[in-house]
Amino acid sequence: MSAGVAEQIFPTASLSLLDESLELVTKVPLTRFDCPEAQEILPQLDALITGWGCPLLSADVLERAPKLRFALHAAGSVKHHITEAVWDRGIQVSTAASANAIPVAEYTLAMILLANKKVLESSAALYRSEGTRVSPTSLFPGLGNYSKNIGLVGASQVGRALIKLLRPFKFNVLVSDPFLTQEEAAQLGVTLMELDGLLAASDVVSMHAPSLPETRHLINKERLALIRPGATFINTSRGALIDQVALLQRVQTGTLYAVLDVTTPEVLEAGHPFYSEPNVTLTPHIAGALGVELARLGTSALAEAGRAARDEPLAFPVTRADWDRIA
């Protein structure tokens, strides 16, 4: 990882609290595997902690790291650096995706509470009022969070973290996920539904599915039409899951509010209608770990390294079998 990423993920205080079973080979992060420093360090490693921007762990790299048994990612997706050679060598892989899921779930919870209370819409109405009294219940008769239906598309790491955060509230939590069983849904305290039924029943729909070829435009024009008038649509996953043209058309009818932390492309071109559409709130991909939250990712990776050193099972493993269903 880059030095800048390492400074944020591993502040000095965290490295001073290393598990006694760990020996840190270097505090200066490798940024490449084809440099003199890598030639010296790779043969010594049992475990490699990686972050954003890690180069591919190719067969050539692994040949120079004969002792390597663990690749522990202090970030979310491992698809940018893990190769078939890693699986072929039997190297164990883990990720800090569960740690990154926490701030995404917190952001989503905040937006759900604001959406059902119609806070953003009421604020906009107040700005337009110019001294005239605003009656939120007249504008939004159904406002409030009590007994609302919250539909989660995907029981992913983020989806499950959000389910936990929703428990103290009087919500009916609905989940659509082809890999979730009825037994698991019961354990989570949610209602498992087919996607179309969930969209039609929910007051808030929140996306937590992986971006894969199979999930591109999972929410298309026909499915957007199923969402009830006055509902809010939240996307903190990836823009490709949504047909954005169809979403724009739906919000322009005034019957759907959208909170979008991600779009396609990630930075919309100047003049895009989402910038001026009153029924859309845009945020610049801030839901995931940023600022002080990044240290949580490093803490997670170091804890995994401690488990590896003590010959304990990894808490957050990624396997070859997971590959086709994770982002």
Side-chain angles (χ1 to χ4, degrees):
M1 67 188 77
S2 71
V5 169
E7 288 174 2
Q8 297 179 78
I9 295 179
F10 298 106
T12 303
S14 70
L15 293 180
S16 66
L17 298 174
L18 278 179
D19 188 294
E20 62 181 13
S21 59
L22 297 172
E23 177 187 350
L24 188 62
V25 175
T26 176
K27 290 186 178 181
V28 180
L30 292 175
T31 59
R32 299 164 52 184
F33 292 134
D34 59 353
C35 60
E37 293 83 3
Q39 300 295 333
E40 178 184 350
I41 289 171
L42 286 174
Q44 304 177 53
L45 300 180
D46 298 294
L48 180 67
I49 295 179
T50 60
W52 289 296
C54 179
L56 286 174
L57 289 175
S58 63
D60 176 64
V61 171
L62 297 181
E63 285 178 7
R64 288 179 276 130
K67 296 167 56 181
L68 187 67
R69 294 184 293 129
F70 300 93
L72 312 174
H73 197 44
S77 176
V78 299
K79 285 195 168 183
H80 302 292
H81 66 288
I82 296 298
T83 67
E84 279 294 319
V86 173
W87 307 124
D88 291 343
R89 261 273 298 272
I91 293 171
Q92 295 186 56
V93 178
S94 83
T95 174
S98 63
N100 190 53
I102 295 171
V104 182
E106 292 171 344
Y107 170 104
T108 308
L109 172 64
M111 291 301 178
I112 288 170
L113 295 174
L114 292 174
N116 282 327
K117 194 70 172 178
K118 299 300 180 184
V119 171
L120 300 175
E121 298 95 322
S122 295
S123 176
L126 182 60
Y127 276 104
R128 295 192 301 267
S129 69
E130 297 187 5
T132 305
R133 182 176 180 82
V134 172
S135 173
T137 52
S138 297
L139 293 172
F140 314 108
L143 71 79
N145 282 288
Y146 183 70
S147 290
K148 289 292 179 70
N149 292 341
I150 311 300
L152 309 183
V153 182
S156 59
Q157 298 268 18
V158 175
R160 291 170 189 247
L162 179 58
I163 288 168
K164 292 180 181 178
L165 294 181
L166 291 170
R167 283 176 185 157
F169 301 91
K170 181 59 177 177
F171 286 132
N172 305 307
V173 181
L174 319 175
V175 176
S176 176
D177 188 314
F179 299 102
L180 187 69
T181 66
Q182 288 287 357
E183 292 74 18
E184 289 173 320
Q187 291 172 359
L188 291 170
V190 302
T191 301
L192 182 62
M193 298 183 68
E194 294 293 331
L195 179 55
D196 289 358
L198 177 146
L199 295 173
S202 298
D203 297 290
V204 176
V205 175
S206 189
M207 299 299 298
H208 303 292
S211 182
L212 303 169
E214 297 82 1
T215 59
R216 183 179 184 274
H217 288 188
L218 178 66
I219 305 301
N220 55 23
K221 182 176 182 179
E222 291 73 24
R223 283 181 164 149
L224 284 164
L226 297 173
I227 302 177
R228 59 176 58 173
T232 298
F233 180 83
I234 301 173
N235 191 12
T236 57
S237 186
R238 287 293 184 268
L241 293 168
I242 320 302
D243 181 341
Q244 285 188 173
V245 173
L247 178 60
L248 175 62
Q249 292 171 347
R250 176 66 200 273
V251 297
Q252 286 178 332
T253 67
T255 62
L256 182 69
Y257 198 93
V259 177
L260 306 176
D261 190 50
V262 288
T263 55
T264 301
E266 184 163 313
V267 179
L268 297 171
E269 66 273 15
H272 192 285
F274 277 160
Y275 287 125
S276 56
E277 172 53 49
N279 274 27
V280 173
T281 294
L282 295 174
T283 56
H285 205 163
I286 62 171
L290 293 174
V292 297
E293 297 164 337
L294 290 168
R296 184 189 277 126
L297 307 183
T299 298
S300 175
L302 291 177
E304 283 286 68
R307 294 183 191 98
R310 297 188 299 272
D311 290 323
E312 297 174 3
L314 297 178
F316 307 107
V318 179
T319 68
R320 184 184 249 152
D322 297 324
W323 203 251
D324 291 336
R325 53 186 285 190
I326 61 174

